[in-house]
Amino acid sequence: MPSTTLEFDAILFDMDGTLVDSTAGVVGAWEVFKETYPQIDVTQVLSSSHGIRTVENLRRFCGVEDPEEQEREAKRFEQAIVENSTKNGRRGIVALPGVREIIDELEVAPKSPHIRWAVCTSATRSYATAALKKAGIPLPDAFVVSEDVQKGKPEPDPYLLGAKLCGVDPRRCLVVEDAPAGVRSGRAAGCRTLGLLTSHTREQVEAAKPDFLVKDLSSVTMKNTEKGVEVTVDMD
């Protein structure tokens, strides 16, 4: 199996589908919302909503146009994810393979003038905080959520802000993403991109043109160095 090793100043992670698996709760939340918005085709929504801000999905699939209502409904939706993640025997919100080992390493980084890792998610701060805690992942010092940007993925704004919060040049960052929209966001920000096959087909992720593509983070090793993070990717 061929491998590639590169060094970056910081790693910018997406959350859902990258660090955590919240599929069980998301399915339950859309089923709850179908009671209010009967026009929803849950299967269609699940196939095309991942990686997009909740407010934008509500506009697209539910016809919610008023900004204040979008914010209220986004909070209700993301609360429904948490509440439904363990109902009816569902597995809950859990860390994906390889995540704990990587985060444990990044958390003990030596003193540095910049932050080594960030989470840049399309979720709200309330939900993202709850999801990371449920999965047992520490909250990052650099944390970009839906409310922090005017334009979400696939626009570059989330990852440009993530690099800024880390105090580094985005061209020296690696974006880790499972959604095509997120890969495109990272590329637009000037970052190198690592695509994961945790939520979309290989063809869908390849179409976004990530620099590297693996099954999940169990195929990736990250080690702290004096200047940054050494990343080894074992190609599938």
Side-chain angles (χ1 to χ4, degrees):
M1 180 182 296
S3 66
T4 299
T5 299
L6 296 169
E7 188 170 298
F8 298 92
D9 290 343
I11 313 299
L12 310 179
F13 296 97
D14 172 50
M15 187 183 73
D16 275 317
T18 297
L19 296 178
V20 307
D21 181 0
S22 62
T23 304
V26 171
V27 172
W30 281 117
E31 289 173 348
V32 168
F33 264 55
K34 188 173 176 63
E35 297 173 7
T36 306
Y37 306 98
Q39 73 271 26
I40 293 174
D41 180 333
V42 174
T43 301
Q44 178 192 5
V45 171
L46 291 172
S47 69
S48 57
S49 63
H50 190 75
I52 308 296
R53 293 194 300 174
T54 302
V55 291
E56 292 162 5
N57 283 325
L58 289 170
R59 183 188 305 116
R60 178 183 175 190
F61 297 109
C62 303
V64 181
E65 296 290 345
D66 180 71
E68 291 186 2
E69 187 180 359
Q70 286 174 2
E71 293 298 331
R72 287 194 300 270
E73 288 292 77
K75 290 179 180 178
R76 182 168 77 93
F77 182 86
E78 294 184 343
Q79 183 61 39
I81 296 176
V82 176
E83 292 173 352
N84 285 272
S85 64
T86 54
K87 281 188 177 179
N88 301 319
R90 294 185 176 120
R91 67 197 297 249
I93 299 173
V94 297
L96 283 160
V99 168
R100 294 189 188 282
E101 294 83 354
I102 286 174
I103 298 302
D104 285 349
E105 171 68 14
L106 297 180
E107 274 289 281
V108 295
K111 287 186 178 180
S112 171
H114 64 266
I115 296 172
R116 298 291 180 96
W117 69 287
V119 170
C120 304
T121 176
S122 298
T124 63
R125 185 171 302 277
S126 174
Y127 167 67
T129 299
L132 290 173
K133 287 181 177 179
K134 277 190 170 291
I137 297 171
L139 299 183
D141 292 328
F143 200 7
V144 178
V145 298
S146 174
E147 302 97 311
D148 295 329
V149 294
Q150 289 189 339
K151 295 181 179 180
K153 305 169 187 178
E155 298 299 324
D157 303 40
Y159 287 115
L160 288 174
L161 180 56
K164 181 179 180 180
L165 292 177
C166 287
V168 300
D169 186 329
R171 293 171 295 181
R172 290 286 304 156
C173 294
L174 177 68
V175 162
V176 186
E177 267 281 0
D178 67 301
V183 173
R184 294 187 177 99
S185 174
R187 292 182 65 239
C191 308
R192 302 293 291 275
T193 53
L194 170 64
L196 308 179
L197 300 175
T198 54
S199 64
H200 291 74
T201 66
R202 178 178 291 273
E203 291 74 21
Q204 287 173 320
V205 182
E206 283 180 340
K209 300 180 180 178
D211 294 291
F212 312 100
L213 183 61
V214 295
K215 177 184 65 175
D216 55 39
L217 283 173
S218 65
S219 298
V220 180
T221 302
M222 297 190 187
K223 293 183 179 180
N224 287 305
T225 67
E226 289 186 6
K227 295 183 178 180
V229 182
E230 182 183 270
V231 179
T232 299
V233 180
D234 295 324
M235 306 295 189
D236 291 340

